[in-house]
Amino acid sequence: MTDRFEITPFLKWAGGKRWFVQRHADLIPKNFNRYIEPFLGGGSVFFYLQPSCSLLGDANPDLIAAYRGIKENWKAVVKSLQYHSRQHSDEYFYLMRGSHPKDVIRRASRMIYLNRTCFNGIYRVNLRGEFNVPRGTKDSVLLSSDRFDLIAKLLESADIRSADFEILIDEAQTDDFIFADPPYTVRHNFNGFVKYNEKLFSWQDQERLAEALIRAKNRGVHILSTNANHSSIRDLYENYGFKLNTTSRFSSISALSKHRKQFDEMIISFTSGDGQS
């Protein structure tokens, strides 16, 4: 671990886990080698842990560009955000929304700018893969909580990739730690598909994720994964040596069905060497 300093995630992300680290940090293994997060999003767990070695990935190339830009030149990203802040208006928002910058700094600042000024911080694209969320009510482009210098320092030792989750999970070795927070697809929900950035995260992807995590567990990898509290998800994991519990933003973890509600989430965990069965 690095010397700890408080970092607020710089992106607002649907399904973010800020609440999870506040309530359930005790579930995170105390010791591990490399930290691996294949569905990075806002990175709440990563920023909480501040690991000294990490592999970070996501299927969203714009999201990954934001992290890479900060890592490579956070001062240039801030300078670009200052420009966005001065120019910000309805017209400018839609101009930036329709733009397609190539260099990583401009891509990073565009992503952060749109995330902070669009409706509810939602990331959504159309069938052509173009960001199409309208302008929201917030106008702040730079925030008092921003510590891009500390984020850049933390990212120095991170391998950041735009990649499929299975590729990243399959790189995990004994005593590495995977935190996986996928889109919450279930077998019978919307015919087994959930929109994940510009891709569809299908039920087959859920099955592929479970198979990859089972392989990682068998290699002695520590695993913590969150998912929908649904019987179809439980069926993927319950016979493979994982601990399965439920939690929500509004209650503590419970293994008792009477305490579960529709908004519950499932926690799937395995700590190598702890005697789980």
Side-chain angles (χ1 to χ4, degrees), residues 2-275:
T2 60
D3 294 333
R4 288 189 60 83
F5 34 76
E6 186 174 352
I7 295 179
T8 300
F10 65 93
L11 294 174
K12 181 178 180 181
W13 209 249
K17 288 297 180 286
R18 298 187 196 192
W19 67 274
F20 184 86
V21 296
Q22 291 171 355
R23 287 179 171 267
H24 303 308
D26 59 307
L27 296 178
I28 298 171
K30 300 297 185 290
N31 299 293
F32 54 86
N33 292 333
R34 183 169 58 162
Y35 175 74
I36 299 173
E37 186 166 357
F39 303 95
L40 181 56
S44 295
V45 175
F46 169 70
F47 289 125
Y48 170 79
L49 281 177
Q50 300 176 23
S52 58
C53 181
S54 58
L55 171 58
L56 308 175
D58 201 279
N60 183 338
D62 289 334
L63 175 78
I64 292 301
Y67 284 88
R68 285 178 174 165
I70 294 170
K71 177 180 179 176
E72 293 183 16
N73 192 339
W74 69 269
K75 291 182 180 179
V77 172
V78 170
K79 185 176 181 179
S80 185
L81 286 172
Q82 290 170 338
Y83 178 81
H84 290 320
S85 182
R86 292 193 297 269
Q87 299 297 318
H88 179 56
S89 65
D90 274 348
E91 182 180 2
Y92 186 76
F93 174 87
Y94 290 106
L95 177 67
M96 289 307 302
R97 194 182 76 167
S99 68
H100 302 283
K102 301 299 182 184
D103 68 277
V104 69
I105 301 303
R106 292 176 63 206
R107 287 186 70 188
S109 68
R110 173 184 178 271
M111 177 66 179
I112 298 168
Y113 166 69
L114 292 176
N115 179 262
R116 292 180 172 184
T117 58
C118 74
F119 177 75
N120 250 5
I122 295 170
Y123 186 91
R124 185 186 66 207
V125 297
N126 59 25
L127 295 175
R128 296 186 297 276
E130 299 165 337
F131 185 77
N132 66 352
V133 180
R135 180 183 172 182
T137 58
K138 295 183 178 180
D139 295 324
S140 297
V141 178
L142 289 160
L143 308 176
S144 60
S145 60
D146 286 337
R147 289 303 307 269
F148 291 115
D149 56 336
L150 299 181
I151 293 171
K153 181 179 179 181
L154 181 60
L155 291 173
E156 283 179 0
S157 59
D159 182 356
I160 308 171
R161 302 187 207 168
S162 178
D164 180 78
F165 63 85
E166 187 173 6
I167 294 172
L168 305 178
I169 291 172
D170 282 346
E171 290 194 21
Q173 301 300 319
T174 302
D175 287 330
D176 287 346
F177 169 46
I178 294 171
F179 176 70
D181 180 32
Y184 287 5
T185 319
V186 299
R187 185 189 293 273
H188 303 299
N189 189 25
F190 303 107
N191 295 318
F193 287 91
V194 166
K195 196 70 182 254
Y196 176 48
N197 303 327
E198 70 275 15
K199 294 186 175 183
L200 289 172
F201 196 84
S202 68
W203 175 248
Q204 286 69 35
D205 289 324
Q206 280 284 18
E207 293 177 317
R208 192 161 58 91
L209 172 61
E211 290 165 0
L213 291 177
I214 290 167
R215 291 195 301 271
K217 181 190 77 70
N218 292 338
R219 295 194 300 273
V221 177
H222 308 294
I223 293 166
L224 186 59
S225 182
T226 53
N227 215 312
N229 180 33
H230 190 271
S231 59
S232 62
I233 301 295
R234 187 173 291 271
D235 289 345
L236 295 177
Y237 294 94
E238 64 180 351
N239 295 319
Y240 294 94
F242 293 94
K243 285 184 178 177
L244 305 179
N245 289 291
T246 59
T247 187
S248 78
R249 297 171 187 244
F250 312 105
S251 64
S252 299
I253 291 176
S254 174
L256 302 177
S257 59
K258 68 179 181 180
H259 293 152
R260 297 179 196 140
K261 301 178 179 65
Q262 288 185 341
F263 49 75
D264 282 349
E265 300 185 20
M266 187 179 299
I267 300 175
I268 301 152
S269 61
F270 173 81
T271 301
S272 180
D274 73 351

